[in-house]
Amino acid sequence: MQSKHSYWLLCFDFPLKWRGWQGGLFMSGTHTVISNKISLVFGSEISLKDFSFSQLIVAVKNLFDTEGVPGFVKALVMLIESLLIKSGVECPHCGKDKHHFHSKSDRKLKTSIGEVNLVLTRLLCLSCKKTFNPMAQLFDLDKYSRKSREFEKLSLETVTNQSFRRSAKNLNDTMGFSTAHSTLHRWFWDTDSVNINQKKRVDLLIADGTGFKRSKDNEFETNKGSIKVLIGYNKNGEVIPFGAWTRASWKDIGKLIKNKNHPSDKIKFKPIAGTLITDGEEEIVRQLKKLAESHQRCLFHMTHELTPLLRYKDIVQKDEAIKISEELNELLYLDLPEVDADPLKSLEDKLKIEIKLKSMKEAIDDFINELHSLGYSKAKGFVENAKSQLFTYIDNWLKTGISNPKVTSLVERMMREIKRRIKRMGYKWSDQGAEKMTRLILLQLSSTKHFWEAHWQEKMGTNANIKLSFLGVTVEN
């Protein structure tokens, strides 16, 4: 067997830039640039017999996953710490810059590149006699934390897609080090990444809710919980979450949103949305309609809910109930033309729509009278109570040339994802846990992802102040 033993010398050039910060480590407004070359030496034992490229790839990956990349980060931290101390460090307790070496301490951090073992210097201030870690002023870590913020972000993104136990197994298989499911659960409880700002204005406001199986503190409590979700949409398609609640009524939610957007009781409240779209639940309409200028009843829910109402309240045969619901469905929908640049053509379209709208409202009145004559009192009251909110999408088009959605389908995808995580992949939630997980899901869905990413960019302090460049590899025999 032929074998070859060699050592690889890997060189990296990394200019580091950072701005001055409060605390006196650097003068405010100055910029310090550090440019160095770091050499990492890796030993290699390569047999030319039974050599395969795939085997080489696996070996290199294992090396960098377990030792190379974490070791490189450790070396960078040691270099930065050394340069930081040489540049002059002020004591965070008294502000003096006279100090002596005190000790070295190990700190192991879980990161997305593996576990990084840091060796950090502790200095003794000659003035106040207190010790401090100079690198602690640069780290975006909580005190005594054993994880990086980017690994915390990865962990929270993982637990929104699967249970805590499955998430722990997935992270263990991917990262190569162990993280207990109870640890993930604790990080989930401790995170402040689910705080949602409710002070905002939107074009559309959509409210919905779903149930979940909650834990009981005693045998007399119910295990049925309810999650209420409020989401805003703008005409450009942007999704804007307002929040999720399990311990608040729709009355509490309406009052909260109003107070957040109402600067003073001395002035009249200005609605935060153009149109409120609901499935017709009376409590939602009653408590949230003041937040919007108009209200659109979901047309899908109208026909979907009329059939069981006829069957089980008015005792109508199935075929007859379906036939009546289909008749209502044909009366509700109208295809509106696109906005036309020609003002004469637009005026012509508007007149046609106004005439059609009048006939549609008359047809609804005739439909209600027919239900009354047939003795279907429950169905008659259901349609009659909703008729003033059925054609808001047409009224808005006549006023602005732009129509609002006719159904609540914009929020249905989010509700399906919430149900999948809360109802199918978890049970016996506490009210606080279900609320927090729902908010976490809201922020991580594709259409709201920018809110999530922006929060973590600010929290981690990510910017373009660190650049690393690969200069090449040299081999020494």
Side-chain angles (χ1 to χ4, degrees), residues 142-189:
D142 298 326
K143 192 175 182 180
Y144 308 121
S145 177
R146 290 294 181 267
K147 65 180 182 306
S148 65
R149 293 201 190 280
E150 46 87 35
F151 184 68
E152 179 186 0
K153 175 176 179 286
L154 175 63
S155 300
L156 292 174
E157 290 172 345
T158 305
V159 300
T160 56
N161 292 315
Q162 51 198 335
S163 67
F164 287 98
R165 291 184 183 274
R166 287 182 177 273
S167 297
K169 184 179 185 305
N170 179 269
L171 288 172
N172 295 349
D173 293 342
T174 305
M175 298 292 102
F177 57 83
S178 175
T179 304
H181 75 275
S182 57
T183 300
L184 296 179
H185 195 266
R186 176 167 51 82
W187 292 352
F188 165 75
W189 272 112

Tab-separated table of all heavy atoms in Angstrom, residues 142-189:
chain	number	residue	atom	x	y	z
A	142	ASP	N	-26.072	36.911	26.042
A	142	ASP	CA	-26.580	37.196	27.367
A	142	ASP	C	-25.592	36.665	28.393
A	142	ASP	O	-24.775	35.780	28.115
A	142	ASP	CB	-27.942	36.533	27.570
A	142	ASP	CG	-28.989	37.056	26.604
A	142	ASP	OD1	-28.907	38.259	26.276
A	142	ASP	OD2	-29.857	36.278	26.180
A	143	LYS	N	-25.673	37.193	29.602
A	143	LYS	CA	-24.760	36.770	30.651
A	143	LYS	C	-24.946	35.278	30.935
A	143	LYS	O	-26.073	34.786	31.047
A	143	LYS	CB	-25.021	37.587	31.922
A	143	LYS	CG	-23.939	37.438	32.982
A	143	LYS	CD	-24.201	38.376	34.147
A	143	LYS	CE	-23.078	38.267	35.189
A	143	LYS	NZ	-23.314	39.178	36.325
A	144	TYR	N	-23.848	34.566	31.015
A	144	TYR	CA	-23.808	33.115	31.279
A	144	TYR	C	-24.408	32.282	30.140
A	144	TYR	O	-24.620	31.083	30.294
A	144	TYR	CB	-24.538	32.761	32.580
A	144	TYR	CG	-24.097	33.562	33.779
A	144	TYR	CD1	-25.001	34.336	34.488
A	144	TYR	CD2	-22.760	33.553	34.197
A	144	TYR	CE1	-24.594	35.090	35.585
A	144	TYR	CE2	-22.347	34.303	35.289
A	144	TYR	CZ	-23.266	35.069	35.975
A	144	TYR	OH	-22.864	35.810	37.063
A	145	SER	N	-24.678	32.891	28.991
A	145	SER	CA	-25.274	32.151	27.888
A	145	SER	C	-24.289	31.134	27.334
A	145	SER	O	-23.088	31.381	27.264
A	145	SER	CB	-25.710	33.108	26.779
A	145	SER	OG	-26.236	32.393	25.680
A	146	ARG	N	-24.811	29.980	26.915
A	146	ARG	CA	-23.988	28.928	26.322
A	146	ARG	C	-24.396	28.661	24.875
A	146	ARG	O	-24.169	27.592	24.340
A	146	ARG	CB	-24.105	27.644	27.150
A	146	ARG	CG	-23.428	27.735	28.516
A	146	ARG	CD	-21.921	27.882	28.364
A	146	ARG	NE	-21.224	27.962	29.640
A	146	ARG	CZ	-20.912	29.076	30.269
A	146	ARG	NH1	-21.255	30.233	29.708
A	146	ARG	NH2	-20.278	29.074	31.410
A	147	LYS	N	-24.986	29.657	24.246
A	147	LYS	CA	-25.392	29.527	22.847
A	147	LYS	C	-25.226	30.864	22.155
A	147	LYS	O	-25.356	31.931	22.781
A	147	LYS	CB	-26.854	29.082	22.745
A	147	LYS	CG	-27.835	30.113	23.280
A	147	LYS	CD	-29.254	29.662	23.183
A	147	LYS	CE	-30.238	30.721	23.689
A	147	LYS	NZ	-29.975	31.219	25.024
A	148	SER	N	-24.929	30.824	20.875
A	148	SER	CA	-24.886	32.057	20.087
A	148	SER	C	-26.308	32.432	19.697
A	148	SER	O	-27.209	31.590	19.656
A	148	SER	CB	-24.028	31.858	18.833
A	148	SER	OG	-24.626	30.899	17.971
A	149	ARG	N	-26.511	33.695	19.386
A	149	ARG	CA	-27.856	34.128	19.005
A	149	ARG	C	-28.297	33.504	17.682
A	149	ARG	O	-29.478	33.239	17.476
A	149	ARG	CB	-27.908	35.649	18.917
A	149	ARG	CG	-27.740	36.343	20.265
A	149	ARG	CD	-28.308	37.747	20.208
A	149	ARG	NE	-27.973	38.530	21.385
A	149	ARG	CZ	-28.596	38.449	22.546
A	149	ARG	NH1	-29.587	37.599	22.699
A	149	ARG	NH2	-28.236	39.215	23.567
A	150	GLU	N	-27.361	33.288	16.760
A	150	GLU	CA	-27.756	32.690	15.491
A	150	GLU	C	-28.180	31.233	15.673
A	150	GLU	O	-29.041	30.734	14.945
A	150	GLU	CB	-26.631	32.833	14.444
A	150	GLU	CG	-25.243	32.479	14.923
A	150	GLU	CD	-24.955	31.018	14.770
A	150	GLU	OE1	-25.428	30.422	13.793
A	150	GLU	OE2	-24.249	30.472	15.641
A	151	PHE	N	-27.615	30.521	16.676
A	151	PHE	CA	-28.072	29.159	16.950
A	151	PHE	C	-29.431	29.183	17.650
A	151	PHE	O	-30.268	28.307	17.428
A	151	PHE	CB	-27.052	28.418	17.809
A	151	PHE	CG	-27.403	26.980	18.046
A	151	PHE	CD1	-27.385	26.068	17.015
A	151	PHE	CD2	-27.788	26.538	19.315
A	151	PHE	CE1	-27.733	24.740	17.217
A	151	PHE	CE2	-28.127	25.223	19.532
A	151	PHE	CZ	-28.100	24.320	18.482
A	152	GLU	N	-29.655	30.188	18.489
A	152	GLU	CA	-30.973	30.346	19.105
A	152	GLU	C	-32.033	30.580	18.036
A	152	GLU	O	-33.123	30.007	18.086
A	152	GLU	CB	-30.950	31.519	20.090
A	152	GLU	CG	-32.287	31.777	20.761
A	152	GLU	CD	-32.275	33.024	21.630
A	152	GLU	OE1	-31.219	33.693	21.699
A	152	GLU	OE2	-33.317	33.338	22.229
A	153	LYS	N	-31.711	31.417	17.055
A	153	LYS	CA	-32.631	31.678	15.942
A	153	LYS	C	-32.933	30.393	15.178
A	153	LYS	O	-34.091	30.084	14.872
A	153	LYS	CB	-32.021	32.718	15.006
A	153	LYS	CG	-32.817	33.014	13.736
A	153	LYS	CD	-32.142	34.128	12.948
A	153	LYS	CE	-32.901	34.435	11.647
A	153	LYS	NZ	-32.700	33.390	10.633
A	154	LEU	N	-31.899	29.612	14.874
A	154	LEU	CA	-32.073	28.344	14.174
A	154	LEU	C	-32.946	27.391	14.981
A	154	LEU	O	-33.821	26.705	14.438
A	154	LEU	CB	-30.710	27.711	13.894
A	154	LEU	CG	-30.724	26.311	13.271
A	154	LEU	CD1	-31.366	26.336	11.895
A	154	LEU	CD2	-29.297	25.753	13.185
A	155	SER	N	-32.746	27.353	16.283
A	155	SER	CA	-33.515	26.454	17.154
A	155	SER	C	-34.988	26.841	17.171
A	155	SER	O	-35.873	25.973	17.091
A	155	SER	CB	-32.950	26.492	18.578
A	155	SER	OG	-31.597	26.091	18.600
A	156	LEU	N	-35.269	28.143	17.264
A	156	LEU	CA	-36.660	28.592	17.286
A	156	LEU	C	-37.350	28.327	15.951
A	156	LEU	O	-38.539	27.988	15.912
A	156	LEU	CB	-36.719	30.080	17.626
A	156	LEU	CG	-36.306	30.460	19.047
A	156	LEU	CD1	-36.262	31.977	19.212
A	156	LEU	CD2	-37.243	29.848	20.079
A	157	GLU	N	-36.619	28.474	14.854
A	157	GLU	CA	-37.189	28.171	13.545
A	157	GLU	C	-37.494	26.683	13.418
A	157	GLU	O	-38.449	26.290	12.745
A	157	GLU	CB	-36.233	28.608	12.442
A	157	GLU	CG	-36.104	30.119	12.311
A	157	GLU	CD	-35.016	30.545	11.345
A	157	GLU	OE1	-34.173	29.691	10.983
A	157	GLU	OE2	-34.988	31.724	10.966
A	158	THR	N	-36.686	25.850	14.078
A	158	THR	CA	-36.886	24.399	14.011
A	158	THR	C	-38.105	23.966	14.805
A	158	THR	O	-38.902	23.146	14.344
A	158	THR	CB	-35.637	23.665	14.529
A	158	THR	OG1	-34.487	24.096	13.796
A	158	THR	CG2	-35.783	22.156	14.358
A	159	VAL	N	-38.304	24.524	15.997
A	159	VAL	CA	-39.413	24.076	16.847
A	159	VAL	C	-40.774	24.542	16.330
A	159	VAL	O	-41.796	24.026	16.777
A	159	VAL	CB	-39.227	24.535	18.308
A	159	VAL	CG1	-37.949	23.978	18.901
A	159	VAL	CG2	-39.260	26.054	18.434
A	160	THR	N	-40.806	25.493	15.411
A	160	THR	CA	-42.095	25.886	14.842
A	160	THR	C	-42.568	24.894	13.786
A	160	THR	O	-43.744	24.904	13.420
A	160	THR	CB	-42.018	27.279	14.189
A	160	THR	OG1	-40.977	27.288	13.206
A	160	THR	CG2	-41.751	28.348	15.229
A	161	ASN	N	-41.681	24.035	13.316
A	161	ASN	CA	-42.029	23.082	12.265
A	161	ASN	C	-42.276	21.675	12.783
A	161	ASN	O	-42.848	20.854	12.074
A	161	ASN	CB	-40.924	23.036	11.204
A	161	ASN	CG	-40.816	24.321	10.414
A	161	ASN	OD1	-41.822	24.867	9.991
A	161	ASN	ND2	-39.608	24.813	10.219
A	162	GLN	N	-41.828	21.384	13.994
A	162	GLN	CA	-41.980	20.041	14.540
A	162	GLN	C	-41.943	20.106	16.057
A	162	GLN	O	-41.658	21.149	16.626
A	162	GLN	CB	-40.888	19.122	13.999
A	162	GLN	CG	-39.489	19.664	14.130
A	162	GLN	CD	-38.506	18.970	13.216
A	162	GLN	OE1	-38.713	17.832	12.824
A	162	GLN	NE2	-37.424	19.636	12.882
A	163	SER	N	-42.233	18.991	16.701
A	163	SER	CA	-42.283	18.961	18.156
A	163	SER	C	-40.893	19.226	18.741
A	163	SER	O	-39.878	19.146	18.048
A	163	SER	CB	-42.790	17.604	18.641
A	163	SER	OG	-41.846	16.585	18.343
A	164	PHE	N	-40.859	19.513	20.045
A	164	PHE	CA	-39.583	19.806	20.691
A	164	PHE	C	-38.660	18.587	20.669
A	164	PHE	O	-37.445	18.728	20.479
A	164	PHE	CB	-39.824	20.257	22.135
A	164	PHE	CG	-40.408	21.639	22.239
A	164	PHE	CD1	-41.765	21.831	22.411
A	164	PHE	CD2	-39.592	22.757	22.139
A	164	PHE	CE1	-42.309	23.109	22.492
A	164	PHE	CE2	-40.122	24.041	22.213
A	164	PHE	CZ	-41.486	24.212	22.391
A	165	ARG	N	-39.195	17.401	20.859
A	165	ARG	CA	-38.354	16.194	20.822
A	165	ARG	C	-37.798	15.940	19.430
A	165	ARG	O	-36.620	15.620	19.264
A	165	ARG	CB	-39.160	14.979	21.305
A	165	ARG	CG	-39.491	15.023	22.799
A	165	ARG	CD	-40.208	13.764	23.240
A	165	ARG	NE	-40.579	13.834	24.647
A	165	ARG	CZ	-39.783	13.486	25.650
A	165	ARG	NH1	-38.563	13.023	25.385
A	165	ARG	NH2	-40.188	13.572	26.902
A	166	ARG	N	-38.642	16.065	18.424
A	166	ARG	CA	-38.165	15.879	17.051
A	166	ARG	C	-37.167	16.975	16.667
A	166	ARG	O	-36.208	16.726	15.939
A	166	ARG	CB	-39.344	15.881	16.076
A	166	ARG	CG	-40.186	14.623	16.124
A	166	ARG	CD	-41.301	14.677	15.086
A	166	ARG	NE	-42.077	13.462	15.067
A	166	ARG	CZ	-41.789	12.385	14.351
A	166	ARG	NH1	-40.714	12.394	13.585
A	166	ARG	NH2	-42.553	11.314	14.388
A	167	SER	N	-37.414	18.185	17.142
A	167	SER	CA	-36.489	19.283	16.860
A	167	SER	C	-35.117	19.003	17.463
A	167	SER	O	-34.090	19.259	16.828
A	167	SER	CB	-37.043	20.596	17.423
A	167	SER	OG	-38.254	20.943	16.793
A	168	ALA	N	-35.097	18.487	18.701
A	168	ALA	CA	-33.824	18.161	19.347
A	168	ALA	C	-33.074	17.095	18.557
A	168	ALA	O	-31.859	17.202	18.333
A	168	ALA	CB	-34.078	17.692	20.780
A	169	LYS	N	-33.802	16.066	18.106
A	169	LYS	CA	-33.159	15.007	17.320
A	169	LYS	C	-32.641	15.550	15.995
A	169	LYS	O	-31.525	15.218	15.561
A	169	LYS	CB	-34.149	13.871	17.072
A	169	LYS	CG	-33.540	12.668	16.334
A	169	LYS	CD	-34.556	11.575	16.131
A	169	LYS	CE	-33.908	10.348	15.512
A	169	LYS	NZ	-33.190	10.619	14.264
A	170	ASN	N	-33.433	16.391	15.347
A	170	ASN	CA	-33.031	16.975	14.068
A	170	ASN	C	-31.774	17.825	14.229
A	170	ASN	O	-30.838	17.736	13.417
A	170	ASN	CB	-34.181	17.799	13.503
A	170	ASN	CG	-33.839	18.466	12.187
A	170	ASN	OD1	-33.363	19.602	12.161
A	170	ASN	ND2	-34.079	17.769	11.091
A	171	LEU	N	-31.740	18.664	15.259
A	171	LEU	CA	-30.557	19.499	15.498
A	171	LEU	C	-29.349	18.658	15.863
A	171	LEU	O	-28.225	18.955	15.427
A	171	LEU	CB	-30.858	20.512	16.602
A	171	LEU	CG	-31.815	21.654	16.239
A	171	LEU	CD1	-32.165	22.462	17.478
A	171	LEU	CD2	-31.197	22.561	15.184
A	172	ASN	N	-29.551	17.621	16.660
A	172	ASN	CA	-28.429	16.751	17.037
A	172	ASN	C	-27.829	16.071	15.817
A	172	ASN	O	-26.602	15.976	15.672
A	172	ASN	CB	-28.902	15.696	18.048
A	172	ASN	CG	-29.333	16.300	19.369
A	172	ASN	OD1	-29.099	17.481	19.617
A	172	ASN	ND2	-29.970	15.511	20.210
A	173	ASP	N	-28.712	15.589	14.911
A	173	ASP	CA	-28.220	14.909	13.701
A	173	ASP	C	-27.521	15.894	12.766
A	173	ASP	O	-26.556	15.537	12.085
A	173	ASP	CB	-29.387	14.249	12.965
A	173	ASP	CG	-30.005	13.103	13.759
A	173	ASP	OD1	-29.336	12.611	14.691
A	173	ASP	OD2	-31.154	12.729	13.468
A	174	THR	N	-28.001	17.119	12.716
A	174	THR	CA	-27.453	18.109	11.793
A	174	THR	C	-26.190	18.769	12.327
A	174	THR	O	-25.209	18.934	11.602
A	174	THR	CB	-28.506	19.200	11.502
A	174	THR	OG1	-29.707	18.578	11.031
A	174	THR	CG2	-27.989	20.180	10.457
A	175	MET	N	-26.200	19.146	13.605
A	175	MET	CA	-25.105	19.919	14.190
A	175	MET	C	-23.938	19.049	14.646
A	175	MET	O	-22.800	19.502	14.696
A	175	MET	CB	-25.613	20.733	15.388
A	175	MET	CG	-26.686	21.766	15.057
A	175	MET	SD	-26.052	23.133	14.057
A	175	MET	CE	-26.642	22.685	12.436
A	176	GLY	N	-24.237	17.804	15.045
A	176	GLY	CA	-23.167	16.947	15.540
A	176	GLY	C	-22.927	17.074	17.031
A	176	GLY	O	-21.974	16.495	17.554
A	177	PHE	N	-23.738	17.827	17.731
A	177	PHE	CA	-23.641	17.898	19.189
A	177	PHE	C	-25.053	17.871	19.759
A	177	PHE	O	-26.031	18.140	19.067
A	177	PHE	CB	-22.889	19.150	19.650
A	177	PHE	CG	-23.470	20.445	19.164
A	177	PHE	CD1	-24.539	21.058	19.804
A	177	PHE	CD2	-22.938	21.071	18.043
A	177	PHE	CE1	-25.066	22.246	19.339
A	177	PHE	CE2	-23.464	22.266	17.576
A	177	PHE	CZ	-24.534	22.851	18.231
A	178	SER	N	-25.150	17.538	21.029
A	178	SER	CA	-26.442	17.279	21.643
A	178	SER	C	-27.060	18.547	22.234
A	178	SER	O	-26.374	19.341	22.880
A	178	SER	CB	-26.289	16.221	22.744
A	178	SER	OG	-27.500	16.022	23.425
A	179	THR	N	-28.355	18.713	21.992
A	179	THR	CA	-29.150	19.758	22.636
A	179	THR	C	-30.453	19.120	23.092
A	179	THR	O	-31.222	18.638	22.263
A	179	THR	CB	-29.456	20.915	21.674
A	179	THR	OG1	-28.237	21.449	21.145
A	179	THR	CG2	-30.216	22.029	22.389
A	180	ALA	N	-30.704	19.088	24.380
A	180	ALA	CA	-31.872	18.410	24.929
A	180	ALA	C	-33.157	19.129	24.540
A	180	ALA	O	-33.177	20.355	24.375
A	180	ALA	CB	-31.760	18.324	26.449
A	181	HIS	N	-34.231	18.365	24.401
A	181	HIS	CA	-35.517	18.980	24.050
A	181	HIS	C	-35.995	19.911	25.158
A	181	HIS	O	-36.669	20.905	24.894
A	181	HIS	CB	-36.557	17.902	23.758
A	181	HIS	CG	-37.090	17.215	24.975
A	181	HIS	ND1	-36.460	16.131	25.567
A	181	HIS	CD2	-38.193	17.469	25.735
A	181	HIS	CE1	-37.154	15.749	26.615
A	181	HIS	NE2	-38.203	16.537	26.746
A	182	SER	N	-35.642	19.601	26.403
A	182	SER	CA	-36.017	20.482	27.507
A	182	SER	C	-35.282	21.820	27.411
A	182	SER	O	-35.821	22.864	27.802
A	182	SER	CB	-35.709	19.809	28.846
A	182	SER	OG	-34.342	19.453	28.929
A	183	THR	N	-34.055	21.796	26.871
A	183	THR	CA	-33.310	23.040	26.656
A	183	THR	C	-33.976	23.888	25.578
A	183	THR	O	-34.115	25.108	25.728
A	183	THR	CB	-31.861	22.722	26.249
A	183	THR	OG1	-31.237	21.963	27.284
A	183	THR	CG2	-31.064	24.001	26.020
A	184	LEU	N	-34.402	23.245	24.501
A	184	LEU	CA	-35.117	23.966	23.448
A	184	LEU	C	-36.406	24.569	23.994
A	184	LEU	O	-36.775	25.687	23.631
A	184	LEU	CB	-35.433	23.034	22.281
A	184	LEU	CG	-34.251	22.442	21.512
A	184	LEU	CD1	-34.750	21.530	20.403
A	184	LEU	CD2	-33.373	23.538	20.949
A	185	HIS	N	-37.069	23.814	24.852
A	185	HIS	CA	-38.310	24.305	25.448
A	185	HIS	C	-38.032	25.525	26.321
A	185	HIS	O	-38.800	26.497	26.306
A	185	HIS	CB	-38.961	23.193	26.276
A	185	HIS	CG	-40.389	23.462	26.628
A	185	HIS	ND1	-40.744	24.050	27.814
A	185	HIS	CD2	-41.535	23.233	25.943
A	185	HIS	CE1	-42.070	24.174	27.860
A	185	HIS	NE2	-42.574	23.687	26.738
A	186	ARG	N	-36.950	25.515	27.055
A	186	ARG	CA	-36.594	26.658	27.912
A	186	ARG	C	-36.247	27.871	27.061
A	186	ARG	O	-36.648	28.998	27.382
A	186	ARG	CB	-35.419	26.274	28.819
A	186	ARG	CG	-34.893	27.419	29.680
A	186	ARG	CD	-33.970	26.895	30.758
A	186	ARG	NE	-32.937	26.030	30.225
A	186	ARG	CZ	-31.806	26.462	29.674
A	186	ARG	NH1	-31.576	27.769	29.581
A	186	ARG	NH2	-30.906	25.610	29.215
A	187	TRP	N	-35.498	27.669	25.977
A	187	TRP	CA	-35.169	28.790	25.087
A	187	TRP	C	-36.441	29.378	24.489
A	187	TRP	O	-36.565	30.595	24.328
A	187	TRP	CB	-34.245	28.318	23.974
A	187	TRP	CG	-32.871	27.927	24.451
A	187	TRP	CD1	-32.353	28.105	25.704
A	187	TRP	CD2	-31.860	27.291	23.690
A	187	TRP	NE1	-31.078	27.613	25.765
A	187	TRP	CE2	-30.745	27.110	24.543
A	187	TRP	CE3	-31.767	26.850	22.371
A	187	TRP	CZ2	-29.567	26.514	24.109
A	187	TRP	CZ3	-30.608	26.244	21.934
A	187	TRP	CH2	-29.504	26.090	22.800
A	188	PHE	N	-37.385	28.506	24.135
A	188	PHE	CA	-38.661	28.958	23.588
A	188	PHE	C	-39.401	29.839	24.598
A	188	PHE	O	-39.937	30.899	24.247
A	188	PHE	CB	-39.508	27.740	23.211
A	188	PHE	CG	-40.957	28.029	22.981
A	188	PHE	CD1	-41.381	28.658	21.831
A	188	PHE	CD2	-41.903	27.666	23.927
A	188	PHE	CE1	-42.726	28.924	21.612
A	188	PHE	CE2	-43.245	27.928	23.732
A	188	PHE	CZ	-43.655	28.555	22.571
A	189	TRP	N	-39.413	29.428	25.846
A	189	TRP	CA	-40.116	30.196	26.874
A	189	TRP	C	-39.428	31.522	27.173
A	189	TRP	O	-40.079	32.518	27.489
A	189	TRP	CB	-40.221	29.384	28.161
A	189	TRP	CG	-41.433	28.525	28.209
A	189	TRP	CD1	-41.484	27.161	28.173
A	189	TRP	CD2	-42.797	28.957	28.289
A	189	TRP	NE1	-42.781	26.716	28.208
A	189	TRP	CE2	-43.612	27.799	28.292
A	189	TRP	CE3	-43.405	30.195	28.347
A	189	TRP	CZ2	-44.994	27.858	28.354
A	189	TRP	CZ3	-44.789	30.262	28.419
A	189	TRP	CH2	-45.566	29.100	28.421
